[in-house]
Amino acid sequence: MSGHLGPDILARARQLISLYPEPRSALVPLCHLAQEQDGWLRPEAMAEIAELVGVTPAEVQGTASFYDMLHLEPVGTYLVSICTNISCMLDGGLELLEHAEEHLGVGAGGTTPDGKITLEEAECLADCDHAPCVQVNHRYVGAQTPETFDALIEDLRAGRRSDEIPSHGTLIRVRRDGGLRADPEQVASERAAMAEAKARRAAEAAEAAGGEGGS
Amino acid sequence: MAVTDAPRIVTARIDHPDSYTLERALATGAYEGLRKALTMTPEAVAAEVDAASLLGRGGAGFPAGRKWAMLRQSPVTYLVVNGDESEPATFKDHLLVERDPHQLIEGVVIAAYALQVTRAFIFLRGEFALGLERVQAALNEAYAHGAVGADIFGSGFSVDIVVHPGAGAYICGEETSLLESLEGKRGFPRIKPPFFPAAIGLYGEPTVVNNVETMSNLPWIVTNGGAAFAALGEGRSTGTRLFALAGHVRNPGVYELEMAKTTFADLINAPVLGGGVRHGRELKAFIPGGVSAPWFGPDQIDLPLGQDEVGAAGSMLGSGSVVVMDDHTCAVRASWRITKFFSRESCGQCTPCREGSGWLERIMERIETGRGRPDDLDLLLDACDNIAPGLTWPPQQTTICVLGPSIPSSIHSAITMFRDEFLTHIKEGGCPHG
Amino acid sequence: MAEQPAGAPAAPTDATEGDFTFTLNGRPARGRKGEMLIAAAERAGVFIPRFCYHPRMKSVGVCRMCLVEVTGPRGAALQPSCYLEVTEGMEVVTDSPKVKKAQDGVLEFLLVNHPLDCPVCDKGGECPLQDQTLAYGPGESRFVEEKRHFEKPIPISDLVLLDRERCIQCSRCTRFAAEVAGEAQIDFSGRGEMIEVSTFPDEPFSSYFSGNTVQICPVGALTAVPYRFTARPWDLDQVESTCTTCAMGCRVAVQSSANRLTRILGIDSEPVNHGWLCDKGRFAFESVNAEDRITQPMVRRDGELVPTTWSEALDQAAAGLRRAMTDGGPEAIGVLGGARLTNEGAYLWARLAKGVIGTDSVDAQLGDGLPAETVLGLPRATIAEAASAATVVLLCGDLREELPVAFLRLRAAAVDGTTALVELAPQRSALTPLTTSFLQYRPGDVVELARALTGTGGPPQGVDAGALESARQHLGSGDVVVVLGRPSLAEDGAMVAEAAEVLAGLPGVRFLSALRRGNIHGALDMGLAPGVLPGRVGLEEGGAWFERAWGSVPARRGRDCTGILSSAAGAGDDESRVTALVLLGSEPSVDVPDRDLARRGLGGASFVVAVTSSPGEAVDRADVVLPAAEAHERPGTTTNIEGRVSRVAQKLVPPGQAWPDWMIASELARYMGSDMGIDSMAAVWAEIERLAPAYAGITADVLDAPWARDGVVAPFAGAPVSQAAVPLDPIAVPGVESVERQGAPPRAGSAVTPTAGPDGQVTVEQGTGGQGEGRPPVLAGPAGINAPHVAPTDSYSFRLVVGRTLYDGGTAVAMSEALTPLVTSAPLRVNPHDLDDLGITTGDLVRVRTARDSVVVPVAADPGLARKVVATELNVPFGDVTAGDLIDATSPVVELRLETP
Ligand SMILES: Cc1cc2nc3c(=O)[nH]c(=O)nc-3n(C[C@H](O)[C@H](O)[C@H](O)COP(=O)(O)O)c2cc1C
Ligand code: SF4
Ligand code: FES
């Protein structure tokens, strides 16, 4: 099953795994990485992730399918998420969604025939002071009116926003520089020393308290 | 900007356009608190936090100092920072991670030192793409600066921090679900007891879970002392707190306010804050602490922004978000949309939450679209009662976590406060608000 | 979830027993430390409804059906009783209006998305959801909304179908897969209301244990292909019995409808199977229903087998055997097989062979076992002792393939971290990933390895020194159980026996047999092996005792299976050649690993009697065919790997003229002129109890005592003082005990009487442990095996390892419609470096030369094998031949040359 993830992605996957005490913890970050490569979570990628973190492919699929951002089916280049939750609803979120469905010709959850845009009805995106709130590939694009929305779609289709908004799946463009810095052995010895010091301080404190009580 | 003369504690730096860079952060005092902490014993640092009486800012409002003290003596412990911020209308952590990541990192290292933890995880909501990049970039800088990693500032103390992206599931804000998610599993909350994170947490080891804002307060507390923090606010509600104001106000946004000394009326109406209900309309109702909280009417607007005060009035300050609804708002539609949220976000473990949320949502939608039935209100309340027996506050529950008993809040509030509107929907076959 | 107090702690069935008192509905009750409230209440007679809780799996507390009111510091609150440990002084109310409302609420919620298709659902009539809705649920539905829709049943494996609309998300199946079987090929996917059980594309839930998920599913979401739509629960009639598909002895409920078996369910037996079954045991019953069963006596006339009467067939059989005796003495008769018999049948056949005919050339093991004296003589461990030992040494085949439920028990022990596994094997097994040391040896080196482990010799070449050292540390614990079977069928069993006898020198060591065939242990215990007599006594020590009882015993030790077949084939000394064979349910060309020898032996015999129920080469060759009743068609007893004697029950009337095995032996003796004086099965058992030392004290009364529901271990040491048992999972055994408890009227037949726990009324004599009253001593201690020496090989030779796979060409699978398609082919597995040397890869063909033959078979790379070792499985398609064609039973190991064809 291995061989689906490209060498760069695989190297980053291995680094991610090394950051956690247990490999399975890297499962979700690895799914993001696979989406960075393919735009969505292909079965081949899930099978490879299973191998990398030591679970069954069914467990990767089961876990990934719990999360809205992990897509088990293909997604357009741009995932446009319109929030209709309470704050945005109060500011016309539902109406904006309706407009978007009409404008794009697809219902929420659908992808335009050209494969460019997937429309999604989102729950609160934590940007309620810019309601109704819209994200494209999880980048905030500010409050939208029907007019600005149409312009935004046009920009996306024309590739005018691609600097700021990478194609779907690329979540974090800043790479961690390096693995863990504190060497586990050093950490272990520090831990022991810390525990010892802590015990000593506790004993001293107890003694001091005892002394006061006695006087 | 504020109504009291309390200092800005967690938002002091954010007005600078480059507030997220190490350069700006250092120029404005970043990592001073950490340097000071490293000269103290871990217990002394913890004691300052205890003295500050810092209540957790994630929603439950549990005192951070007390939570830390519960960590039993164990060679392996973890610190996990909750940056999942998905409670609808809550967007304060969004501000903190994007605008002041160094403050967060400094807070995390201080907490790690006080707890003698050598591995910390910052769990950030996946939809915060920019926040994830900012925190990762700041972390890289902090490592290079010697503020994170091995032998921090030559003190002999080491801690590694990992930024972990979530992937879109509200429930992962619940701390035990967050830990499951961090272990690479489905975000199913664990049963408390026995899975109190402080006893059995990440990988089964004792773990402290604290909110981003809680962590962001630590540099100031260490620098200025717990007593200075406790001197702000009133009763158990000390210090300042971020309030995310949304809905029908002139100036929605995040405001840092002194707790308990400020009221909802200040937040909503003060010209430097919310600026009042917009378009000259009247206040119909407001939700005081995230959509899990029961609603308040205009008569409760003078309540102080204090945890216990709001609790005593039958709701909660929760995640520090306030949603304002004007008199043109349809109460049925608002509570339907909130119910739909819970139905989409129930993790699906517990029968009452999984099935109940979907059923309630379908009944609410029926009423909103004019297909309601005369006995629907009794049915709604009875089904709610089967999720949160008695419909009391704080709620009782038939479920594992409190997402379940949060479902009835909006329905119960809306029916209690605006029963007529429901009846009109049912009788007239649709929403009079259009 | 980690570190969770599992449902595992065994609770006594006695409600009055416990460590402390708590209050249940206002009355005092006894609770035990670590016990879940739901179980404590159940012992006290209060049944709390539930869906997700299963007493053999970790609690998850998700269905919320079991909520009860528990008084805590902040007043009474609803708590899941399946997740709450009972504690001293706890105040619990299970029947308040608040509890009732919460439970009604959960039921109503469950029905929100549950289809109301009970009339067409397999589970209808025995469905806990249906029953509880009737018993507890709200009267009318307040639900008018559209339900969730999924595509109707989808296969999740060859044997199991899933109807997702019916699923109530209790996670019992997914937890079983991950937690019990260790094969998480099914998992939940989706979130909230849309949660469904799913498999990964193209990776079905191909577990040997998949049927358990069907059994524990509380609704009709999972159904088994062989059972679907075959019967309705109210037409079913059932008995409790013991599965004899392998030698584990799992307790089962056998259900039938109109004299056809319809379903087998696992029953929770604390000492044995914990409620689980393997799919072979669960589904192989189809073979009993098979159309082409042998149901009539037949004799060969003019070269043709023709149906006849019992009396003519017995007459011909007796005549043929007498003729052979006249010509060549009693030793001219060889008896092969017996593991498919009941103990009663095995005993009478042993008496017929050894006491009437006078031959000791009798062997129930078909060249795939171990010397009987070794198995019977080494100190014994029970399954429970093995599953709780500090160290378990695996010196056997892959348990998942051979004794699947024993695999589950040991897997659980290893996963718990309480038991260290040390494995000695030429190839990896399903337990290898859980071992603390895996000592991979080259076929032929097993004795040397055992010596190295006990510190009496140096390590054989290629054995990992680190693993050896770590294993030695574990072996010093004084609490070591060796699981003893056949790691490879291409390696002489005597070598394994000698290795075992070397390990017997370890302090505190005990042995658990892993011989796998049906009632093989009963057959050995009853004397169906050379050199032994019934009750685990040696021919020499027991000769006088049995001579007194039977009139005579064989004058000298006879041949084993290999000896009998070789002799019949015409090899060896002519003076006492075997000329007549009696086949007791055995099919030599399938059962005997050396297939060539089996065929030659069968062909070389001049007279063959086949006592059998199924067609095959044995019948084709037989001169007389005597139709025998099968499992589930006759009552009796069986003995499992730990020596546990339990009842098998009759559920069906045997087809046609088939007779129970003991009756055939008794009648044949009469036709041979010797009336054994047996007129009933009960009389056979009485004689076994009286004569067979290891079975002394195991009277019919003992076997029928309520506390002996799981059987008793021979030698019998007396009734247990108190007995631990976990309350049955009522959801998994509908009709056995559950339906009544759930408040709905029983629907499935209730042939099984519920037991209330240890019953003080039954008076039992203290067991004698098999000794005394002039009885000969049971075998004890090593038999002193000296295995043949293995010559070193040249560097071109490969050594062959032959294992087993659960679904093979054996009779049970071959005659079960659902299982036959699961037999896959077995390529010759070769270390990839060796393949490179040959210049071939997986899928290519290779020519294999043995001393006897040369065949061409496909290969596959197996990095788990050592260099110069190749492996495959017996009785599965292997090129155009079977692995049995490569095995030479007369050579201690099998050497091969590989060439590109
Ligand atoms: C359904 C649910 C969602 C929650 N979401 C969040 C969240 O998004 N962010 C957060 O910090 N806490 C959230 N919490 C609260 C956490 O469980 C936990 O109490 C908090 O992270 C502890 O941090 P604190 O003590 O610093 O507040 C949530 C709780 C529940 C029950
Ligand atoms: S209450 Fe809802 S969200 Fe919480 S654990 Fe139960 S099903 Fe999941
Ligand atoms: S929650 Fe206890 S049985 Fe399901």
Side-chain angles (χ1 to χ4, degrees), chain B residues 367-408:
Chain B
I367 299 174
E368 163 67 9
T369 54
R371 292 172 294 127
R373 304 164 159 214
D375 39 12
D376 272 351
L377 296 196
D378 293 340
L379 176 56
L380 281 172
L381 290 176
D382 191 56
C384 284
D385 183 85
N386 287 338
I387 304 175
L391 294 177
T392 51
W393 193 265
Q396 298 190 47
Q397 63 195 70
T398 55
T399 52
I400 289 174
C401 85
V402 299
L403 188 149
S406 302
I407 304 165

Short mmCIF file of all heavy atoms in Angstrom, two decimals, chain B residues 367-408:
data_model
loop_
_atom_site.label_atom_id
_atom_site.label_comp_id
_atom_site.label_asym_id
_atom_site.label_seq_id
_atom_site.Cartn_x
_atom_site.Cartn_y
_atom_site.Cartn_z
N ILE B 367 -41.90 23.18 12.47
CA ILE B 367 -42.65 24.33 13.00
C ILE B 367 -42.27 25.60 12.24
O ILE B 367 -43.12 26.35 11.78
CB ILE B 367 -42.38 24.51 14.50
CG1 ILE B 367 -42.85 23.25 15.26
CG2 ILE B 367 -43.07 25.76 15.04
CD1 ILE B 367 -42.50 23.26 16.73
N GLU B 368 -40.98 25.79 12.04
CA GLU B 368 -40.50 27.00 11.37
C GLU B 368 -41.07 27.11 9.96
O GLU B 368 -41.41 28.18 9.49
CB GLU B 368 -38.95 26.99 11.36
CG GLU B 368 -38.27 27.93 10.37
CD GLU B 368 -38.47 29.42 10.67
OE1 GLU B 368 -39.01 29.74 11.75
OE2 GLU B 368 -38.11 30.25 9.82
N THR B 369 -41.20 25.98 9.28
CA THR B 369 -41.68 26.03 7.90
C THR B 369 -43.19 25.82 7.81
O THR B 369 -43.71 25.54 6.74
CB THR B 369 -40.98 24.98 7.02
OG1 THR B 369 -41.16 23.70 7.65
CG2 THR B 369 -39.51 25.28 6.88
N GLY B 370 -43.88 25.92 8.96
CA GLY B 370 -45.33 25.94 8.90
C GLY B 370 -46.00 24.59 8.94
O GLY B 370 -47.18 24.48 8.62
N ARG B 371 -45.25 23.54 9.30
CA ARG B 371 -45.87 22.23 9.36
C ARG B 371 -45.99 21.72 10.80
O ARG B 371 -45.99 20.53 11.06
CB ARG B 371 -45.10 21.25 8.50
CG ARG B 371 -45.21 21.55 6.99
CD ARG B 371 -44.28 20.67 6.17
NE ARG B 371 -42.87 20.98 6.44
CZ ARG B 371 -41.97 20.07 6.80
NH1 ARG B 371 -42.31 18.82 6.93
NH2 ARG B 371 -40.73 20.44 7.03
N GLY B 372 -46.03 22.71 11.73
CA GLY B 372 -46.11 22.33 13.13
C GLY B 372 -47.46 21.76 13.51
O GLY B 372 -48.44 21.92 12.78
N ARG B 373 -47.49 21.04 14.63
CA ARG B 373 -48.75 20.45 15.12
C ARG B 373 -49.01 20.99 16.51
O ARG B 373 -48.07 21.33 17.23
CB ARG B 373 -48.64 18.94 15.22
CG ARG B 373 -48.22 18.32 13.91
CD ARG B 373 -47.75 16.91 14.19
NE ARG B 373 -47.82 16.13 12.98
CZ ARG B 373 -48.12 14.84 12.93
NH1 ARG B 373 -48.34 14.19 14.06
NH2 ARG B 373 -48.18 14.21 11.79
N PRO B 374 -50.27 21.00 16.89
CA PRO B 374 -50.62 21.61 18.17
C PRO B 374 -49.84 21.01 19.36
O PRO B 374 -49.43 21.74 20.25
CB PRO B 374 -52.11 21.32 18.31
CG PRO B 374 -52.60 21.10 16.91
CD PRO B 374 -51.46 20.56 16.14
N ASP B 375 -49.62 19.69 19.36
CA ASP B 375 -48.94 19.14 20.54
C ASP B 375 -47.43 19.11 20.39
O ASP B 375 -46.72 18.49 21.19
CB ASP B 375 -49.50 17.77 20.94
CG ASP B 375 -49.82 16.91 19.74
OD1 ASP B 375 -49.38 17.29 18.63
OD2 ASP B 375 -50.49 15.88 19.91
N ASP B 376 -46.90 19.77 19.37
CA ASP B 376 -45.45 19.77 19.17
C ASP B 376 -44.68 20.41 20.33
O ASP B 376 -43.57 19.98 20.65
CB ASP B 376 -45.08 20.49 17.87
CG ASP B 376 -45.11 19.54 16.67
OD1 ASP B 376 -45.23 18.32 16.90
OD2 ASP B 376 -45.02 20.04 15.53
N LEU B 377 -45.27 21.44 20.95
CA LEU B 377 -44.51 22.11 22.01
C LEU B 377 -44.32 21.18 23.21
O LEU B 377 -43.24 21.10 23.78
CB LEU B 377 -45.19 23.41 22.44
CG LEU B 377 -45.27 24.49 21.37
CD1 LEU B 377 -45.61 25.85 22.00
CD2 LEU B 377 -43.97 24.60 20.58
N ASP B 378 -45.38 20.45 23.55
CA ASP B 378 -45.24 19.47 24.63
C ASP B 378 -44.24 18.39 24.25
O ASP B 378 -43.43 17.96 25.06
CB ASP B 378 -46.60 18.82 24.94
CG ASP B 378 -47.58 19.82 25.53
OD1 ASP B 378 -47.11 20.86 26.04
OD2 ASP B 378 -48.80 19.57 25.46
N LEU B 379 -44.34 17.97 23.01
CA LEU B 379 -43.41 16.94 22.54
C LEU B 379 -41.97 17.44 22.63
O LEU B 379 -41.07 16.74 23.13
CB LEU B 379 -43.76 16.57 21.10
CG LEU B 379 -42.84 15.57 20.39
CD1 LEU B 379 -42.73 14.28 21.18
CD2 LEU B 379 -43.37 15.27 18.98
N LEU B 380 -41.74 18.66 22.15
CA LEU B 380 -40.39 19.23 22.21
C LEU B 380 -39.87 19.24 23.65
O LEU B 380 -38.76 18.79 23.93
CB LEU B 380 -40.40 20.67 21.68
CG LEU B 380 -40.41 20.88 20.17
CD1 LEU B 380 -40.62 22.35 19.85
CD2 LEU B 380 -39.10 20.40 19.56
N LEU B 381 -40.70 19.76 24.54
CA LEU B 381 -40.23 19.90 25.92
C LEU B 381 -40.03 18.53 26.57
O LEU B 381 -39.08 18.33 27.33
CB LEU B 381 -41.21 20.74 26.73
CG LEU B 381 -41.22 22.22 26.34
CD1 LEU B 381 -42.28 22.98 27.12
CD2 LEU B 381 -39.85 22.86 26.55
N ASP B 382 -40.90 17.58 26.23
CA ASP B 382 -40.74 16.27 26.83
C ASP B 382 -39.48 15.57 26.31
O ASP B 382 -38.74 14.94 27.06
CB ASP B 382 -41.98 15.41 26.56
CG ASP B 382 -41.94 14.14 27.40
OD1 ASP B 382 -41.82 14.25 28.63
OD2 ASP B 382 -41.98 13.03 26.81
N ALA B 383 -39.23 15.69 25.01
CA ALA B 383 -38.01 15.09 24.46
C ALA B 383 -36.78 15.78 25.06
O ALA B 383 -35.79 15.13 25.38
CB ALA B 383 -38.00 15.20 22.94
N CYS B 384 -36.85 17.10 25.23
CA CYS B 384 -35.76 17.83 25.87
C CYS B 384 -35.54 17.30 27.29
O CYS B 384 -34.41 17.10 27.73
CB CYS B 384 -36.06 19.33 25.95
SG CYS B 384 -35.85 20.19 24.38
N ASP B 385 -36.65 17.06 27.97
CA ASP B 385 -36.58 16.57 29.34
C ASP B 385 -35.91 15.20 29.40
O ASP B 385 -35.25 14.86 30.37
CB ASP B 385 -38.00 16.50 29.91
CG ASP B 385 -38.02 16.07 31.36
OD1 ASP B 385 -37.86 16.96 32.22
OD2 ASP B 385 -38.15 14.86 31.63
N ASN B 386 -36.06 14.41 28.33
CA ASN B 386 -35.41 13.10 28.30
C ASN B 386 -33.90 13.20 28.06
O ASN B 386 -33.18 12.23 28.22
CB ASN B 386 -36.05 12.21 27.25
CG ASN B 386 -37.42 11.73 27.69
OD1 ASN B 386 -37.71 11.71 28.89
ND2 ASN B 386 -38.26 11.35 26.74
N ILE B 387 -33.45 14.36 27.64
CA ILE B 387 -32.00 14.57 27.48
C ILE B 387 -31.44 15.25 28.72
O ILE B 387 -30.36 14.90 29.20
CB ILE B 387 -31.71 15.43 26.23
CG1 ILE B 387 -32.32 14.80 24.98
CG2 ILE B 387 -30.21 15.59 26.05
CD1 ILE B 387 -32.17 15.64 23.73
N ALA B 388 -32.18 16.20 29.23
CA ALA B 388 -31.76 16.94 30.43
C ALA B 388 -32.91 16.92 31.43
O ALA B 388 -33.72 17.84 31.47
CB ALA B 388 -31.40 18.38 30.06
N PRO B 389 -32.99 15.83 32.21
CA PRO B 389 -34.16 15.64 33.08
C PRO B 389 -34.44 16.86 33.96
O PRO B 389 -33.54 17.40 34.59
CB PRO B 389 -33.79 14.43 33.93
CG PRO B 389 -32.78 13.70 33.11
CD PRO B 389 -32.02 14.76 32.36
N GLY B 390 -35.68 17.30 33.93
CA GLY B 390 -36.08 18.42 34.78
C GLY B 390 -35.90 19.77 34.13
O GLY B 390 -36.45 20.76 34.59
N LEU B 391 -35.11 19.81 33.06
CA LEU B 391 -34.82 21.08 32.38
C LEU B 391 -34.43 22.19 33.36
O LEU B 391 -34.89 23.32 33.28
CB LEU B 391 -36.03 21.53 31.54
CG LEU B 391 -36.36 20.60 30.36
CD1 LEU B 391 -37.61 21.07 29.62
CD2 LEU B 391 -35.18 20.52 29.39
N THR B 392 -33.57 21.81 34.29
CA THR B 392 -33.10 22.75 35.30
C THR B 392 -31.77 23.36 34.84
O THR B 392 -31.20 22.93 33.83
CB THR B 392 -32.88 22.03 36.62
OG1 THR B 392 -32.05 20.88 36.36
CG2 THR B 392 -34.19 21.56 37.22
N TRP B 393 -31.29 24.35 35.57
CA TRP B 393 -29.97 24.91 35.28
C TRP B 393 -29.19 25.03 36.58
O TRP B 393 -29.72 25.56 37.54
CB TRP B 393 -30.06 26.27 34.59
CG TRP B 393 -28.72 26.64 34.05
CD1 TRP B 393 -27.76 27.41 34.65
CD2 TRP B 393 -28.17 26.19 32.82
NE1 TRP B 393 -26.65 27.47 33.87
CE2 TRP B 393 -26.86 26.72 32.73
CE3 TRP B 393 -28.63 25.36 31.79
CZ2 TRP B 393 -26.01 26.47 31.65
CZ3 TRP B 393 -27.78 25.13 30.72
CH2 TRP B 393 -26.49 25.70 30.66
N PRO B 394 -27.96 24.54 36.68
CA PRO B 394 -27.26 23.75 35.66
C PRO B 394 -27.98 22.43 35.41
O PRO B 394 -28.62 21.91 36.30
CB PRO B 394 -25.87 23.53 36.28
CG PRO B 394 -26.04 23.77 37.73
CD PRO B 394 -27.16 24.73 37.89
N PRO B 395 -27.85 21.94 34.18
CA PRO B 395 -28.69 20.81 33.78
C PRO B 395 -28.27 19.48 34.40
O PRO B 395 -27.10 19.27 34.72
CB PRO B 395 -28.49 20.76 32.26
CG PRO B 395 -27.15 21.38 32.02
CD PRO B 395 -26.95 22.39 33.10
N GLN B 396 -29.25 18.62 34.56
CA GLN B 396 -28.94 17.21 34.78
C GLN B 396 -28.79 16.60 33.41
O GLN B 396 -29.25 17.15 32.41
CB GLN B 396 -30.08 16.54 35.52
CG GLN B 396 -30.33 17.14 36.89
CD GLN B 396 -31.31 16.28 37.67
OE1 GLN B 396 -31.18 15.07 37.73
NE2 GLN B 396 -32.31 16.92 38.26
N GLN B 397 -28.21 15.41 33.34
CA GLN B 397 -28.00 14.86 32.01
C GLN B 397 -28.18 13.35 31.95
O GLN B 397 -27.97 12.65 32.92
CB GLN B 397 -26.62 15.24 31.48
CG GLN B 397 -25.45 14.71 32.28
CD GLN B 397 -24.16 15.43 31.91
OE1 GLN B 397 -23.96 16.61 32.22
NE2 GLN B 397 -23.27 14.70 31.24
N THR B 398 -28.58 12.87 30.77
CA THR B 398 -28.65 11.44 30.53
C THR B 398 -27.52 11.02 29.59
O THR B 398 -27.51 9.92 29.07
CB THR B 398 -29.99 11.05 29.87
OG1 THR B 398 -30.15 11.82 28.69
CG2 THR B 398 -31.16 11.31 30.81
N THR B 399 -26.58 11.92 29.37
CA THR B 399 -25.52 11.67 28.38
C THR B 399 -24.15 11.70 29.04
O THR B 399 -24.02 12.02 30.22
CB THR B 399 -25.56 12.76 27.30
OG1 THR B 399 -25.54 14.02 27.96
CG2 THR B 399 -26.80 12.65 26.44
N ILE B 400 -23.14 11.40 28.24
CA ILE B 400 -21.78 11.35 28.77
C ILE B 400 -21.23 12.75 28.99
O ILE B 400 -20.68 13.06 30.03
CB ILE B 400 -20.86 10.57 27.79
CG1 ILE B 400 -21.20 9.07 27.83
CG2 ILE B 400 -19.39 10.79 28.13
CD1 ILE B 400 -20.46 8.23 26.82
N CYS B 401 -21.37 13.61 27.98
CA CYS B 401 -20.80 14.94 28.13
C CYS B 401 -21.92 15.98 28.13
O CYS B 401 -23.08 15.64 27.95
CB CYS B 401 -19.77 15.23 27.03
SG CYS B 401 -20.46 15.86 25.49
N VAL B 402 -21.58 17.23 28.30
CA VAL B 402 -22.64 18.22 28.43
C VAL B 402 -23.10 18.80 27.10
O VAL B 402 -23.92 19.69 27.08
CB VAL B 402 -22.26 19.38 29.39
CG1 VAL B 402 -22.01 18.83 30.78
CG2 VAL B 402 -21.07 20.16 28.89
N LEU B 403 -22.61 18.25 25.99
CA LEU B 403 -23.22 18.69 24.74
C LEU B 403 -24.70 18.30 24.75
O LEU B 403 -25.57 19.09 24.38
CB LEU B 403 -22.53 18.06 23.52
CG LEU B 403 -23.00 18.62 22.17
CD1 LEU B 403 -21.87 18.59 21.16
CD2 LEU B 403 -24.20 17.89 21.60
N GLY B 404 -24.95 17.08 25.23
CA GLY B 404 -26.33 16.60 25.27
C GLY B 404 -27.26 17.61 25.94
O GLY B 404 -28.18 18.15 25.31
N PRO B 405 -27.05 17.88 27.22
CA PRO B 405 -27.97 18.79 27.91
C PRO B 405 -27.87 20.23 27.45
O PRO B 405 -28.65 21.08 27.90
CB PRO B 405 -27.54 18.66 29.38
CG PRO B 405 -26.18 18.11 29.34
CD PRO B 405 -26.08 17.27 28.12
N SER B 406 -26.94 20.55 26.55
CA SER B 406 -26.92 21.90 25.97
C SER B 406 -27.96 22.03 24.88
O SER B 406 -28.38 23.14 24.55
CB SER B 406 -25.55 22.20 25.35
OG SER B 406 -24.54 22.08 26.32
N ILE B 407 -28.35 20.89 24.30
CA ILE B 407 -29.30 20.95 23.18
C ILE B 407 -30.60 21.64 23.59
O ILE B 407 -31.10 22.50 22.86
CB ILE B 407 -29.58 19.53 22.61
CG1 ILE B 407 -28.28 18.86 22.21
CG2 ILE B 407 -30.54 19.60 21.44
CD1 ILE B 407 -28.41 17.36 21.98
N PRO B 408 -31.17 21.27 24.75
CA PRO B 408 -32.46 21.88 25.10
C PRO B 408 -32.39 23.37 25.40
O PRO B 408 -33.44 24.03 25.34
CB PRO B 408 -32.89 21.11 26.36
CG PRO B 408 -32.13 19.82 26.31
CD PRO B 408 -30.83 20.16 25.67
#
